[in-house]
Amino acid sequence: MCLVLTKLRILFSVGKTNRKGEVPNEVFTSIFTYRGGVERSPRLGFKGFTLAEVLITLAIIGVVAAMTIPTLIANYQQRSWDTASSVFNRRLGEALKIMNLDNKLTGHATTADFVDTLGNYIKIVKTCPSDKLTNCFVDEFNTADGAIDITELKEAKNLYSTDDYGTETIGVQFADGVSALIAYNPDATQDSNSNEVVKITGDRNSLGIKTDAISILYDVSGDKSPNSYGNGEDIRGLNISIKTGTDVLLLEGTYSWDDAIAECESRGMLLPELNVLKEVYNRREALKLPSEGRFYSKTEDAPYLIWTVHFDTGDQSTTDSSGWNSVVCVSSEFQ
């Protein structure tokens, strides 16, 4: 190995041309052999490279490259994502700041209304309603908890489960190539005299935004891979707490009380107590539940006597637990 490195050092030190710009023949003679023997250069005074030495040198270069190039590429990609994220946060933050100064940050009933106004402050090239989010954002992205299908993020409560804004999610594509999902908070803070309503945080290499006006999940690489959220890669967000699935599930058919409890539990949900079932009834239109049928609660009035709610009138009454009635299951958060 030492011999190979020594010869490489000598090779590069003597790689000079003569006055005519030619490489002296004896340099090549000292490097390569062609007739089975090893020739000695009178000028250099050392034996040429053997095939084995050349192959060993190439192998060393290959190993070093294999060890370093992936790291260099990964570091470059990470810096690219960080830079794109900082630039986007700066532009979006400045747009929201000006909206606050213009008293345009609040007063919007829906996310669609907010996005329409936002387009006057930052260039938006395309918007997509909640039922066509895949026209503006990747169909699926990865998180530490598994893959997320964005068709499950149609409502603000799916994008930011910590605080349900009661609005829809809108897909947006910005002029700089960033794609995003946005949910608007109708109860957002607005104060044109305050610099704290919208605040740009961090340094130039890692800028962020603080505001309660929106939840936004954005992808700085468009539909290119890795489409990953939560580990500092290409998909990042503000006020994001993803929760897919539903809080209320209507079961098909009718069930006895015991079977109703078992069916809900098998889905990781609960049969609602009477007060919760009444809340479900009051929100039945928004939850797209039927406006008729008698539904079981989990509340007992006496052994084998169960409280129910009639979804056509809202009346409540008791029935035998062996009877067959309709069932809605609720999540533990809803309960």
Side-chain angles (χ1 to χ4, degrees):
M1 181 66 68
C2 292
L3 177 60
V4 171
L5 296 177
T6 300
K7 290 183 177 182
L8 280 173
R9 186 172 64 253
I10 295 173
L11 169 62
F12 289 112
S13 69
V14 301
K16 301 177 180 178
T17 62
N18 58 23
R19 292 181 180 178
K20 295 181 179 181
E22 300 171 337
V23 178
N25 289 334
E26 58 266 26
V27 172
F28 294 103
T29 304
S30 67
I31 304 304
F32 299 102
T33 62
Y34 299 96
R35 294 185 296 275
V38 178
E39 299 181 8
R40 181 180 296 274
S41 167
R43 177 178 178 182
L44 301 179
F46 70 92
K47 295 181 178 180
F49 284 109
T50 65
L51 178 60
E53 290 170 340
V54 172
L55 293 177
I56 291 172
T57 303
L58 294 176
I60 293 171
I61 294 172
V63 170
V64 172
M67 293 173 60
T68 58
I69 290 177
T71 301
L72 293 174
I73 293 175
N75 290 340
Y76 169 79
Q77 187 64 78
Q78 187 65 56
R79 287 195 298 271
S80 175
W81 291 327
D82 291 343
T83 300
S85 176
S86 292
V87 170
F88 175 72
N89 279 328
R90 168 71 70 183
R91 294 177 64 244
L92 178 62
E94 293 295 347
L96 295 175
K97 276 178 170 289
I98 298 174
M99 289 181 71
N100 180 53
L101 290 173
D102 291 346
N103 293 315
K104 299 290 187 180
L105 196 60
T106 62
H108 308 285
T110 66
T111 302
D113 292 340
F114 168 79
V115 170
D116 284 344
T117 304
L118 177 64
N120 297 324
Y121 295 85
I122 184 172
K123 189 170 183 180
I124 294 173
V125 296
K126 186 177 182 179
T127 60
C128 303
S130 59
D131 59 344
K132 296 181 179 178
L133 295 177
T134 55
N135 291 343
C136 284
F137 206 80
V138 292
D139 296 357
E140 184 179 272
F141 61 92
N142 298 313
T143 70
D145 297 325
I148 300 294
D149 185 336
I150 70 162
T151 59
E152 299 181 1
L153 302 178
K154 294 180 179 180
E155 299 180 51
K157 65 180 180 180
N158 303 128
L159 204 60
Y160 189 47
S161 60
T162 303
D163 185 7
D164 182 5
Y165 301 149
T167 56
E168 80 283 22
T169 300
I170 294 293
V172 175
Q173 288 184 346
F174 295 93
D176 59 1
V178 174
S179 57
L181 301 178
I182 298 177
Y184 173 67
N185 177 14
D187 298 322
T189 305
Q190 179 173 276
D191 183 353
S192 59
N193 297 316
S194 173
N195 291 323
E196 299 298 317
V197 172
V198 179
K199 190 172 182 179
I200 298 175
T201 63
D203 56 39
R204 66 177 186 174
N205 297 317
S206 181
L207 287 177
I209 306 173
K210 287 182 64 178
T211 179
D212 65 352
I214 60 171
S215 291
I216 179 170
L217 188 73
Y218 62 91
D219 187 345
V220 296
S221 64
D223 57 0
K224 296 179 182 177
S225 61
N227 296 325
S228 180
Y229 171 72
N231 53 6
E233 295 188 330
D234 57 336
I235 297 182
R236 307 187 183 192
L238 166 68
N239 297 333
I240 296 296
S241 178
I242 294 174
K243 180 178 181 296
T244 57
T246 180
D247 287 328
V248 178
L249 176 65
L250 173 68
L251 300 187
E252 294 184 5
T254 56
Y255 298 80
S256 69
W257 186 63
D258 288 337
D259 287 343
I261 294 174
E263 285 293 330
C264 288
E265 290 179 349
S266 71
R267 291 166 169 78
M269 304 180 80
L270 303 170
L271 188 65
E273 298 290 348
L274 180 60
N275 63 319
V276 176
L277 184 59
K278 288 288 289 184
E279 176 64 20
V280 172
Y281 166 77
N282 291 334
R283 295 172 56 186
R284 66 192 183 283
E285 290 186 7
L287 295 171
K288 298 180 180 179
L289 295 174
S291 57
E292 59 183 5
R294 188 181 193 183
F295 286 79
Y296 268 127
S297 77
K298 194 177 180 181
T299 305
E300 293 182 87
D301 182 59
Y304 308 110
L305 199 58
I306 313 303
W307 281 105
T308 63
V309 173
H310 299 260
F311 270 37
D312 50 348
T313 62
D315 294 337
Q316 56 191 54
S317 62
T318 57
T319 187
D320 188 274
S321 62
S322 61
W324 294 80
N325 291 291
S326 300
V327 176
V328 290
C329 306
V330 298
S331 67
S332 56
E333 288 85 358
F334 193 97
Q335 182 85 331

